[in-house]
Amino acid sequence: MFDWFAQLGRSAIDFFARLGSEVLLFLQAIAAFKALVFRPALIIQQLFSIGVRSMLIIIVSGFFVGMVLGLQGYNTLIDFGAEESLGVMVALSLVRELGPVVTALLYAGRAGSALTAEIGLMKATEQLSGLEMMAVNPVERILAPRLLAGIISMPLLAAMFSAVGVFGGYLVGVDMLGVDTGAYWSQMQARVDFEQDIIQGVIKSVVFGVVTTWIAVYEGYTCLPTSEGVSRSTTRTVVYSALAVLGLDFLLTALML
Amino acid sequence: MPSTDNNLVRIRDLHFSRGHSKIFNGIDIDIPKGKITAIMGPSGTGKTTLLKLIGGQLKPQQGTILFHGENIPAMKTKKLYEVRKKMGMLFQSGALLTDMSVFDNIAFPLREHTELPEVMIRDLVLMKLQAVGLRGARDLNPSQLSGGMARRVAFARAIALDPEMIMFDEPFTGQDPISMGVLVQLIRSMNEALELTSVMVSHDIEETMAIADKVYIISQGKIMGYGSPEEMNQSDSPWISQFVHGEADGPVHFHYQARSYSDDIFAGENRD
């Protein structure tokens, strides 16, 4: 009985210790952003590695998700004689929900796992220790540029996902199934609200950008410096990011509706 | 308070534990200026941990580590990073940044900490590479280097900022005889030419004894002995004698602690 309590206490202490160290490290990384203003090359390099290299998977996925939305939406709306509203349905689904959420999930799988593995391997091969001994703070030099690049990349990638998705929906709905072109675009233009829909989507993707990138860099930075440790951290990055994105999506939707 | 003695680093009453395992149990070490001090001992005795404690990457539970008279464990992060500019460290793996060429690896600390123009950085990097004999390898990536070359590049990077002290973590491990000879000669000649203070962690007895001015032998959290290499070689302590002469059995037993052999063997007879 006492063992059970002791175990519970130890787990609680470990949890709060980890949470505390995570928050402190996050604040250090945020504080390092101001120094990055004078070193744009560091951010540009990471924007390329995190953002540009994720574009292919985001664009291809967005295109297929848009096509599926067009197909499913048409088959549902036609029962009500409302197939002209296909453009609105596709656009709202993408801008409000699927764009930010699916982009974040894909980003966690593509860029997040790569970030964790990269930083984890730097730790395992003593490169992070080497930086410390060269009087270079790894939080400022390694973590902060990646975090900032992730925060900038995510809304841009989500916007691309939604834009390509709208085009995919158009291809299926208008070109294949015969929905009127004018109705597809004009209803979308009339019903998609900038503040209500687009800004909400942007807010979500920024939050997902912060959370998923932070999970990725933190897991890499704190992983066990062994091949198994790096592998476990990489897995945790994808799992934690997916759970955090889906949980936060519900929370943010409830708050902003 | 600035130090007035001839020691660059003074370690006093150092205690350090990891979990329940006690690594150091109140050790005292002096690192004299301008000399090569070797820290030796069996694997797993905390030699690398000691370097990390001196570099401020780990904090002891008790004790002081004075560098120029200032206590490293008590330093704030900013001060610690300033002090580290006066230290260089050569890691066992080399710890070269894998996404940069050899040239950029050595230029890295110069670009991070100085405002020097690129032309001057180029000259300095080539000078450091010339000193370690790898000027021709400047455009290679770390993955294209042999183990010995990687350590020489790491050495060049460690001296890029002209530190006062350089710490070597197992510099000879896994090296072929030629690479080992090159590293031994480099460490000795650089120490003299740059008036460096060197701390070398190693268990390669012959090579270390050949270039060290002072040797500490540590084990089980304590200093087992210290003195010049000659004194260590002639020590009448059975433990030091076993370590220095590489004897298989002695105070350090060949067998890991276990119950008696016969008990273990006959325990099998009672199985169903």
Side-chain angles (χ1 to χ4, degrees):
Chain A
M1 184 68 178
F2 283 114
D3 281 352
W4 187 83
F5 272 117
Q7 185 60 41
L8 186 71
R10 265 196 295 274
S11 302
I13 289 168
D14 286 349
F15 171 76
F16 284 110
R18 185 182 158 90
L19 190 69
S21 75
E22 194 164 343
V23 170
L24 279 176
L25 201 64
F26 180 70
L27 293 176
Q28 281 178 40
I30 296 287
F33 280 179
K34 63 176 185 290
L36 291 174
V37 174
F38 305 105
R39 307 187 69 178
L42 285 179
I43 306 170
I44 291 167
Q45 196 183 358
Q46 293 308 320
L47 278 173
F48 177 76
S49 156
I50 293 172
V52 176
R53 287 194 168 150
S54 300
M55 272 171 61
L56 183 67
I57 189 172
I58 297 291
I59 288 172
V60 172
S61 306
F63 186 63
F64 281 112
V65 168
M67 289 206 295
V68 169
L69 278 176
L71 215 53
Q72 293 278 19
Y74 181 84
N75 279 319
T76 308
L77 292 171
I78 201 161
D79 290 343
F80 306 98
E83 68 274 18
E84 310 268 284
S85 302
L86 183 68
V88 186
M89 198 218 79
V90 169
L92 285 182
S93 308
L94 285 166
V95 170
R96 279 188 175 188
E97 287 300 329
L98 291 173
V101 172
V102 179
T103 303
L105 294 176
L106 292 169
Y107 171 89
R110 162 53 188 86
S113 57
L115 277 176
T116 305
E118 183 195 13
I119 298 171
L121 277 172
M122 287 182 84
K123 187 175 181 182
T125 53
E126 295 184 308
Q127 291 179 54
L128 295 183
S129 288
L131 286 176
E132 282 182 0
M133 286 311 297
M134 282 189 281
V136 175
N137 189 339
V139 176
E140 292 173 8
R141 185 63 172 66
I142 304 293
L143 268 55
R146 284 161 177 77
L147 180 60
L148 186 56
I151 297 170
I152 296 170
S153 297
M154 184 70 86
L156 297 173
L157 291 171
M160 278 179 215
F161 184 96
S162 298
V164 175
V166 166
F167 178 68
Y170 174 88
L171 217 63
V172 169
V174 176
D175 286 350
M176 283 170 59
L177 301 170
V179 173
D180 182 60
T181 313
Y184 188 87
W185 293 118
S186 64
Q187 289 216 19
M188 194 188 300
Q189 198 176 3
R191 300 280 297 280
V192 176
D193 185 70
F194 182 73
E195 278 181 23
Q196 277 294 308
D197 304 317
I198 293 177
I199 293 295
Q200 279 192 19
V202 171
I203 290 171
K204 277 185 182 178
S205 54
V206 170
V207 173
F208 296 160
V210 174
V211 172
T212 51
T213 315
W214 180 247
I215 288 172
V217 294
Y218 182 78
E219 284 295 335
Y221 193 68
T222 56
C223 76
L224 280 176
T226 60
S227 44
E228 193 197 357
V230 176
S231 148
R232 281 182 177 211
S233 283
T234 309
T235 307
R236 272 202 300 270
T237 291
V238 178
V239 174
Y240 290 173
S241 297
L243 293 174
V245 165
L246 296 170
L248 280 170
D249 184 45
F250 173 73
L251 199 70
L252 290 169
T253 307
L255 283 172
M256 291 192 291
L257 270 181
Chain B
M1 194 174 67
S3 87
T4 50
D5 58 28
N6 199 35
N7 294 317
L8 185 62
V9 178
R10 280 174 73 97
I11 298 173
R12 289 292 176 270
D13 192 30
L14 185 73
H15 290 256
F16 182 76
S17 305
R18 267 205 186 97
H20 297 296
S21 158
K22 197 130 188 116
I23 313 286
F24 297 121
N25 195 9
I27 61 167
D28 297 339
I29 290 176
D30 288 329
I31 311 285
K33 282 178 194 163
K35 305 281 183 195
I36 298 178
T37 304
I39 313 285
M40 304 178 81
S43 299
T45 48
K47 302 186 294 294
T48 303
T49 303
L50 182 65
L51 294 188
K52 289 191 171 181
L53 284 160
I54 295 173
Q57 291 186 294
L58 294 172
K59 284 203 176 201
Q61 278 82 33
Q62 192 184 317
T64 54
I65 302 166
L66 302 179
F67 180 82
H68 271 305
E70 293 184 278
N71 190 15
I72 286 177
M75 283 177 190
K76 294 250 191 301
T77 308
K78 198 175 172 189
K79 173 75 181 166
L80 186 60
Y81 275 93
E82 280 305 312
V83 168
R84 280 183 187 154
K85 288 180 193 169
K86 298 176 192 167
M87 301 175 179
M89 182 147 171
L90 194 144
F91 288 85
Q92 195 174 348
S93 62
L96 297 174
L97 297 165
T98 46
D99 58 343
M100 292 180 188
S101 67
V102 164
F103 182 95
D104 288 332
N105 260 286
I106 299 163
F108 183 81
L110 295 165
R111 287 176 180 148
E112 288 289 320
H113 296 303
T114 68
E115 303 282 320
L116 293 173
E118 204 54 32
V119 182
M120 199 174 281
I121 286 177
R122 180 183 177 276
D123 292 347
L124 284 170
V125 171
L126 292 183
M127 283 162 67
K128 304 294 175 190
L129 278 171
Q130 175 72 10
V132 297
L134 290 174
R135 191 165 41 82
R138 76 185 99 161
D139 296 324
L140 297 181
N141 282 321
S143 59
Q144 297 171 287
L145 303 174
S146 68
M149 286 166 84
R151 272 177 222 186
R152 281 151 70 188
V153 173
F155 192 4
R157 187 178 69 175
I159 57 171
L161 288 174
D162 293 326
E164 290 177 42
M165 180 175 81
I166 186 157
M167 296 185 274
F168 299 90
D169 185 8
E170 303 281 9
F172 311 121
T173 304
Q175 299 300 304
D176 62 66
I178 298 172
S179 300
M180 207 182 269
V182 168
L183 283 166
V184 168
Q185 185 252 330
L186 260 181
I187 293 171
R188 183 79 256 179
S189 59
M190 288 289 180
N191 196 75
E192 281 168 14
L194 305 175
E195 295 177 355
L196 284 167
T197 300
S198 301
V199 186
M200 187 165 56
V201 151
S202 178
H203 45 213
D204 292 285
I205 307 279
E206 200 180 318
E207 290 73 23
T208 308
M209 292 288 206
I211 54 171
D213 297 301
K214 190 175 182 183
V215 178
Y216 281 90
I217 300 182
I218 56 173
S219 181
Q220 297 161 5
K222 295 178 293 190
I223 306 277
M224 305 303 279
Y226 67 95
S228 67
E230 294 75 32
E231 285 169 333
M232 290 296 101
N233 267 324
Q234 290 157 12
S235 171
D236 49 11
S237 152
W239 196 98
I240 292 174
S241 179
Q242 186 194 356
F243 181 78
V244 171
H245 300 110
E247 290 153 7
D249 216 346
V252 180
H253 298 296
F254 170 71
H255 288 287
Y256 190 75
Q257 197 175 7
R259 63 177 171 163
S260 87
Y261 191 29
S262 57
D263 285 354
D264 235 356
I265 293 290
F266 290 121
E269 287 185 352
N270 300 326
R271 283 182 301 198
D272 293 328

